[in-house]
Amino acid sequence: MTAAPPPTDTHCPYCSLQCGMRLRLLERPAPGAPAVAVEERPGFPVNRGALCGKGDSAAEVLADAARLHAPLVRDRRTGALREASWTEALDRAAGGLVRAAGRYGRDAVGVFGGGGLTNEKAYLLGKFARVALRTANIDYNGRFCMSSAAAAQRRAFGLDRGLPFPLADVARTGCLILVGGNPADTMPPALRYLREQRESGGHLIVVDPRRTRTADLADLHLRPAPGTDLALALGLLHLVIAEGHVDEAFVAERTTGYERARAAAMAHWPERVEGITGVPVAHMRRAVELFCGASSGMVLTARGGEQHSKGVDTVGAWIDLCLATGRAGRPYSGYGCLTGQGNGQGGREHGQKADQLPGYRSIDDPAARAHVAGVWGVDPDALPGPGRSAYELLDTAGTDDGIRALLLMGSNPVVSAPHATHVTERLRALDHLVVCDVVLSETARLADVVLPSAQWAEEEGTMTNLEGRVILRRAALTRPEGVRTDLEILHGLAERLGVTKGFPVAAEEVFAELRRASAGGQADYSGITYRRIAAEDGVFWPCPDPGEGRPAHPGTPRLFADRFATDDGRARFAAVSHRPAAEEPDPRYPLRLTTGRVLAQYQSGAQTRRTPALNRAAPGPFVELHPRLADRLGVADGDLLTVTSRRGQAVAPARVTAGIRPDTVFMPFHWPGAGSANNLTNPALDPVSRMPEFKACAVRVEKAPVEPAELIEPADTAGRAS
């Protein structure tokens, strides 16, 4: 009797925790069902075996019915998508890219990546854009995730890593301020660290306009109006200064720019800030008392504080609070960002961002260009310069001065982009759209060519979690016939573009090249190997290779203990001031809309909406509103509401709750169709990070006059002929 193979140690395909799990092969899987079962992996230090509902049901997305099994091309006669061979599909895909470049110029071809791609895929996609296509126009959906936090960290510390310390340190801090985050719904296994922090005597302050399950754990819940977090941070800093809580020695020895930041903060006296935010002065004073009374402290931000047209300045003000109180570069203290997407950290480090090369190098830096060009075997002058950011890339698609063809991998902007109806129109206007995905997403339905990708359990690759821990996903299954890995797809496209070398299909070979390309950069992976990752449960970057004959670099779990990553080793204060949201309420649009996630769905829902258990738990969109607002509108729980902004409408049932401000409504953004929250959101961009303002726009809410046929868009097989 043959012994069953041991389970495969790997990681969850969803959020930035990258929780450890095991996949066990099933001897007799049901027809059409996944061939593996998810099991706990208690030894992995981040989640210690715990999984949320998404992780526990992750095998469901491997089921036959949930995925693509063959390439699809747009039939020139009928306009519908039809199955095709890989040869025909790759020929069509590459041919359209070549025609667009020949007709309009190289920069008329764009590449759009995703924060869920492995490091190897993100790296090779950036190389493909700059070497095979030679276009400047590559960006990714991580621009919609934590780009504001990244820019603020680089400005303050000279380096961006989501958390500059292990997640376990959160449980040991004396006071934690959590801004615009709801890990109880977005990353439930991380909630244990908040509970442990409270149990050990620490204090938790949650900043959120909604009473979430995370806010229920807090000692203090501050509820600012959406779009006013910057004013709140400055009000707290004002009180820190006025009440004598500044760590003068730390400020003098380890920072620069304090006097200008102090002057800006002193213009935000508590009563003024209360008028802007709605947060009572007494609550602000209590927050300062808790934060400054503890022996250590952290501020963690998430999308609620970052997805604004002033997101960089907002994060900068929260960092100022840490610097002024000496809570940075010290044990169990500092600023950190709760990264959202599975590889939101690694995805921006290695070249799929418009302005960066591998290793977190600036594409404008001649030395960086020379180093990466040397690894790639090309002339540095042949590398393009910076291109358009994600929304700007999509906003100009199909126009005379924008891209005319697009290769899109691992993203679904029809659902996830702001002003989604406009983005959909722009994608339809392209001459040529190629989409690589595991499912027929809403964006894939618009494509001329759809290339089916292998899934997380069918291929190897590394990811970098929110702590900067590089982890290894292992293959537990053989991918279905008719499906290829994204590395194989890039190899096939590069060959058709005349680039026959430099695009390996083996993930470990790509990672070896990534290590060389990142060497000497801020995100230095050169000392990390697949073997080390497996042996050490992940390795923290930076991890430079010290060379043969010497002990391996241990990795860097904690940054900034001795100096910050700036030229002079000092952290920089940001002198910032409050400014309104790009769009404030007015008599026509009197309410604020904010958006976010729910427990059972993930991002655009392309995978979770295909998981029966998750869909039953969260079957569709809703509008969360306060009872006083519901009474004023004459609506009851479950009534259909129409939410209207200057950009569009969404229709969804009411969910009446006292857990939200009376002047604010909330919608989750996981669904397309009539209930799509991103039909409403504002694409106003932060001037530094180019982050759209997802979290605040002006709307009006009315009882829907009629019930729409369905709130979730059905599969769309129509499209334009290629």
Side-chain angles (χ1 to χ4, degrees), residues 433-560:
L433 174 61
V434 181
V435 173
C436 308
D437 210 331
V438 299
V439 298
L440 190 63
S441 69
E442 288 72 24
T443 304
R445 291 173 189 157
L446 305 180
D448 297 287
V449 181
V450 182
L451 303 174
S453 301
Q455 293 208 51
W456 57 285
E458 300 161 353
E459 58 182 358
E460 277 194 326
T462 61
M463 307 281 278
T464 306
N465 81 345
L466 78 170
E467 312 163 294
R469 184 194 302 260
V470 185
I471 57 93
L472 178 62
R473 284 185 182 172
R474 294 180 177 86
L477 292 168
T478 301
R479 63 183 182 273
E481 187 178 352
V483 169
R484 294 189 182 181
T485 70
D486 289 323
L487 300 181
E488 290 173 332
I489 290 170
L490 291 174
H491 177 87
L493 291 173
E495 280 191 328
R496 285 161 172 79
L497 294 170
V499 182
T500 57
K501 294 181 179 179
F503 290 90
V505 299
E508 192 167 5
E509 186 177 349
V510 176
F511 190 74
E513 183 178 304
L514 180 157
R515 293 171 58 209
R516 297 195 300 275
S518 74
Q522 287 191 326
D524 191 333
Y525 283 33
S526 60
I528 304 175
T529 64
Y530 276 26
R531 180 178 297 178
R532 279 196 66 184
I533 296 170
E536 300 172 29
D537 275 330
V539 181
F540 290 86
W541 72 260
C543 182
D545 186 353
E548 295 182 6
R550 285 175 285 178
H553 189 282
T556 314
R558 295 172 181 85
L559 299 170
F560 312 140

Side-chain angles (χ1 to χ4, degrees), residues 274-519:
E274 179 177 345
I276 294 169
T277 65
V279 176
V281 171
H283 290 184
M284 287 186 258
R285 292 189 185 280
R286 178 60 176 157
V288 169
E289 178 186 333
L290 292 175
F291 192 64
C292 296
S295 60
S296 57
M298 293 179 181
V299 174
L300 302 181
T301 67
R303 306 302 81 71
E306 300 162 12
Q307 287 181 321
H308 296 276
S309 59
K310 53 181 181 291
V312 175
D313 284 354
T314 300
V315 173
W318 288 109
I319 292 174
D320 284 354
L321 186 68
C322 292
L323 296 177
T325 55
R327 267 94 163 125
R330 287 175 167 172
Y332 314 121
S333 293
Y335 166 79
C337 168
L338 296 179
T339 308
Q341 296 188 80
N343 202 29
Q345 182 68 52
R348 67 183 181 279
E349 293 168 1
H350 297 299
Q352 65 171 336
K353 194 162 171 275
D355 55 354
Q356 288 179 189
L357 290 170
Y360 237 142
R361 290 179 161 91
S362 170
I363 200 166
D364 287 327
D365 179 0
R369 293 170 65 86
H371 173 82
V372 174
V375 174
W376 288 350
V378 300
D379 185 337
D381 292 338
L383 294 178
R388 288 184 166 108
S389 72
Y391 183 77
E392 292 163 305
L393 193 66
L394 299 173
D395 181 45
T396 59
T399 65
D400 288 343
D401 63 345
I403 59 168
R404 304 303 293 259
L406 179 65
L407 170 66
L408 188 146
M409 182 174 283
S411 187
N412 189 18
V414 164
V415 180
S416 63
H419 200 180
T421 50
H422 171 70
V423 168
T424 302
E425 290 168 2
R426 298 275 34 95
L427 291 174
R428 288 185 184 277
L430 287 166
D431 293 7
H432 190 63
L433 174 61
V434 181
V435 173
C436 308
D437 210 331
V438 299
V439 298
L440 190 63
S441 69
E442 288 72 24
T443 304
R445 291 173 189 157
L446 305 180
D448 297 287
V449 181
V450 182
L451 303 174
S453 301
Q455 293 208 51
W456 57 285
E458 300 161 353
E459 58 182 358
E460 277 194 326
T462 61
M463 307 281 278
T464 306
N465 81 345
L466 78 170
E467 312 163 294
R469 184 194 302 260
V470 185
I471 57 93
L472 178 62
R473 284 185 182 172
R474 294 180 177 86
L477 292 168
T478 301
R479 63 183 182 273
E481 187 178 352
V483 169
R484 294 189 182 181
T485 70
D486 289 323
L487 300 181
E488 290 173 332
I489 290 170
L490 291 174
H491 177 87
L493 291 173
E495 280 191 328
R496 285 161 172 79
L497 294 170
V499 182
T500 57
K501 294 181 179 179
F503 290 90
V505 299
E508 192 167 5
E509 186 177 349
V510 176
F511 190 74
E513 183 178 304
L514 180 157
R515 293 171 58 209
R516 297 195 300 275
S518 74

Side-chain angles (χ1 to χ4, degrees), residues 597-658:
R597 285 167 50 184
V598 297
L599 175 62
Q601 299 288 354
Y602 179 72
Q603 303 299 78
S604 75
Q607 291 171 289
T608 51
R609 285 187 278 113
R610 288 167 169 80
T611 302
L614 300 177
N615 239 12
R616 286 192 296 271
F622 57 86
V623 182
E624 192 175 276
L625 72 165
H626 192 274
R628 293 212 300 268
L629 177 57
D631 287 345
R632 197 164 79 236
L633 297 173
V635 302
D637 202 74
D639 287 350
L640 280 181
L641 299 178
T642 300
V643 185
T644 306
S645 77
R646 289 177 174 84
R647 287 153 296 282
Q649 288 188 337
V651 180
R655 184 173 292 183
V656 181
T657 172

Side-chain angles (χ1 to χ4, degrees), residues 29-35 59-60 62-66 69:
E60 295 296 319
L62 301 166
D64 289 344
H69 287 272

